Amino acid sequence: MSRARRRKNKKINSAGKISIIAVLITSLVFGVWFYAGWPRIPLTNFPPEIQEAKAADVRIFITSTATTTFTVPTDWNSASNTIEVIGGGGGGTGVAAGGSPPGGGGGGGAYAKIINATLTAGGTVGIGVGAGGAGGSGAANGTAGGDAWLCNSTANCATIGGTAVIVGAKGGGGGTGATGGAGGATSTSVGTTRNRGGTGGSDGLSDGAGGGGGAGGTTAAGSNGANGSSVTGGAGGAGGAASGGAGGASSGETCPTPAGAGGAGTVWDVTHGAGGGGGGGGFGDNSATCNGGAGGNYGGGGGGAGGTPVAAASGGAGQQSLIVVTYTPSAPGPTISCSTNITSTDFGALTTASITTSSPHASTTMSCSGTTSGCTLYVKDAGNGTNPGLATTSPAYLIPSPAAGFPATTTLSIGVEGYGIQATTTVAGLTIDARYNWATSTNIVGGFALTNQRIASSTADISGAVVIVTHKAAISDLSIAAKYADTITYECVVN
């Protein structure tokens, strides 16, 4: 028997089986009949960041004085945001029964802002939302308004002076006796933009109390509260912006109308902005009680209590602080999925008498969304580590892909070694690359390479696009009878 004849008989018993792993980077593992198949690996997303059209801004108001942390939104955009804060307003001084000087108004809280703060989406940071200062009762002074701040972590964030604070606004001082409290200072606030709160008005050496200072605003400092005059209290100062709250009206002798509360600021909406200071109480002749007016939302100082020969009066309460977070949501990253419909496909016995097609065909389904230019299915093979093809290691031998010389394509012929694939699809918008775009009725195949080769691609989002891959192989009289294997990686990526 001739040498060629002996080899031919051995080759008839050669076999090839393809086991398939479906992953995002999808691998098709070619092997021989004794491979039992591979477990399916769960799919995951492949989310490179791609910028899309700008979304509408999101605004968050943080007003709870009991809250000490803030969860950064999952769509946080560190390149497009502002964080603004207003400190709490100070309370006005009270007046004791039996006669005492009229009280000074509380100072307004400061305003501060930072632009494009870098925070971790979904993370947690520390914050502080200070309460408004209490108005004095009897002859007691008003208390200072609390500070407002936001940090880039939860550590070192217990006060506005913490090292993690990235924006903070100082609260206004409380009225002290007949003297108005200081407005929240810019020197102890934190931010790229800072505007002071208005100073509370004093008694003006009269029987009328001082008005509360207005809160600092987005474009200007808060206005100072007016001093008392004769028997009339001073008006509260306006919040420091075009949309700052109006100062509260003062009251006159015997308080025919109570001192007015400061108006709410409206810079962000109808109830959120730099508040005006409360009005000062007038002279409480006989038994009238002339309390100071409360500060307005947010950060307005309270007005002082008016002087009285008989009844006690209370200073107006300062208004609490505020944090305002505004951001443009980041565009969601695109999603992509890649899966194969079978776990194995088998060449069976390879013979020199025919060109063999594996069965069943391998179908890869690809979907991508949220992209700007679609997605692509790539393929590469391992071959023998040096060249592409079906390989055996004992003895070392390679059936080249697609043919000797490793051209891009070839027409397989009976009795001539070669190995490659054909790809088809019926999905509009998905284009098969010319290297693999051959009808299965022909024996023209595209060859593999050790680096990624494009099989199919889209220019826009697609859903459930199926690429059917047919694997074909041929052997010659000189092919060594052995167990051949190849590892092919199919990879779906966003363009």
Side-chain angles (χ1 to χ4, degrees), residues 351-380:
T351 173
T352 56
S354 65
I355 295 169
T356 305
T357 300
S358 68
S359 179
H361 301 311
S363 296
T364 299
T365 302
M366 179 171 63
S367 298
C368 58
S369 61
T371 72
T372 57
S373 54
C375 46
T376 297
L377 174 63
Y378 289 99
V379 65
K380 63 182 177 181

Side-chain angles (χ1 to χ4, degrees), residues 17-19 29-38 344 484-486:
K17 181 176 180 179
I18 304 169
S19 297
V29 180
F30 288 71
V32 295
W33 61 271
F34 58 82
Y35 286 167
W38 298 81
S344 67
Y484 290 87
D486 190 15

Side-chain angles (χ1 to χ4, degrees), residues 411-473:
T411 300
L412 295 178
S413 299
I414 294 174
V416 179
E417 288 183 335
Y419 156 62
I421 60 173
Q422 300 163 330
T424 60
T425 187
T426 58
V427 178
L430 189 64
T431 302
I432 302 295
D433 190 82
R435 184 181 185 119
Y436 303 109
N437 190 18
W438 304 108
T440 56
S441 59
T442 74
N443 287 317
I444 306 173
V445 295
F448 294 109
L450 302 184
T451 57
N452 270 346
Q453 302 297 310
R454 184 174 57 200
I455 293 181
S457 63
S458 70
T459 57
D461 290 354
I462 54 174
S463 178
V466 177
V467 178
I468 301 171
V469 177
T470 301
H471 306 83
K472 293 186 176 183

Side-chain angles (χ1 to χ4, degrees), residues 5-475:
R5 181 63 177 171
R6 287 196 301 270
R7 286 189 175 176
K8 182 174 181 180
N9 290 339
K10 291 181 181 178
K11 292 193 292 293
I12 292 174
N13 293 320
S14 298
K17 181 176 180 179
I18 304 169
S19 297
I20 298 170
I21 299 174
V23 292
L24 182 60
I25 299 177
T26 305
S27 296
L28 303 185
V29 180
F30 288 71
V32 295
W33 61 271
F34 58 82
Y35 286 167
W38 298 81
R40 182 171 295 276
I41 297 175
L43 298 179
T44 57
N45 288 332
F46 191 83
E49 294 185 4
I50 295 179
Q51 293 296 320
E52 295 183 338
K54 181 178 180 180
D57 284 350
V58 174
R59 178 165 289 134
I60 301 170
F61 297 110
I62 305 174
T63 59
S64 173
T65 56
T67 301
T68 59
T69 59
F70 172 65
T71 300
V72 182
T74 56
D75 56 355
W76 179 256
N77 186 347
S78 291
S80 182
N81 66 78
T82 59
I83 303 175
E84 299 166 276
V85 289
I86 294 176
T93 304
V95 172
S100 66
Y111 164 89
K113 177 176 75 171
I114 188 173
I115 298 174
N116 295 342
T118 299
L119 301 176
T120 301
T124 301
V125 298
I127 60 172
V129 184
S137 178
N141 295 326
T143 61
D147 305 326
W149 67 90
L150 185 143
C151 300
N152 58 14
S153 72
T154 54
N156 301 312
C157 190
T159 69
I160 194 174
T163 57
V165 173
I166 57 175
V167 62
K170 195 69 182 172
T176 303
T179 303
T186 57
S187 60
T188 47
S189 296
V190 180
T192 53
T193 299
R194 292 169 290 175
N195 291 317
R196 67 169 178 81
T199 299
S202 299
D203 70 352
L205 302 179
S206 66
D207 290 320
T218 56
T219 59
S223 297
N224 296 334
N227 294 333
S229 174
S230 183
V231 293
T232 301
S243 300
S250 63
S251 62
E253 185 177 6
T254 70
C255 307
T257 56
T266 58
V267 66
W268 293 292
D269 64 19
V270 296
T271 59
H272 294 86
F283 176 62
D285 193 11
N286 299 321
S287 60
T289 298
C290 296
N291 298 324
N297 282 335
Y298 283 84
T308 176
V310 181
S314 298
Q319 193 52 254
Q320 71 164 79
S321 62
L322 173 67
I323 301 176
V324 183
V325 178
T326 306
Y327 70 99
T328 302
S330 59
T335 60
I336 188 168
S337 64
C338 209
S339 62
T340 305
N341 67 324
I342 56 175
T343 58
S344 67
T345 182
D346 199 340
F347 276 118
L350 300 174
T351 173
T352 56
S354 65
I355 295 169
T356 305
T357 300
S358 68
S359 179
H361 301 311
S363 296
T364 299
T365 302
M366 179 171 63
S367 298
C368 58
S369 61
T371 72
T372 57
S373 54
C375 46
T376 297
L377 174 63
Y378 289 99
V379 65
K380 63 182 177 181
D381 100 320
N384 63 3
T386 302
N387 292 301
L390 282 169
T392 180
T393 58
S394 182
Y397 192 80
L398 181 75
I399 298 173
S401 178
F406 309 102
T409 62
T410 195
T411 300
L412 295 178
S413 299
I414 294 174
V416 179
E417 288 183 335
Y419 156 62
I421 60 173
Q422 300 163 330
T424 60
T425 187
T426 58
V427 178
L430 189 64
T431 302
I432 302 295
D433 190 82
R435 184 181 185 119
Y436 303 109
N437 190 18
W438 304 108
T440 56
S441 59
T442 74
N443 287 317
I444 306 173
V445 295
F448 294 109
L450 302 184
T451 57
N452 270 346
Q453 302 297 310
R454 184 174 57 200
I455 293 181
S457 63
S458 70
T459 57
D461 290 354
I462 54 174
S463 178
V466 177
V467 178
I468 301 171
V469 177
T470 301
H471 306 83
K472 293 186 176 183
I475 59 174

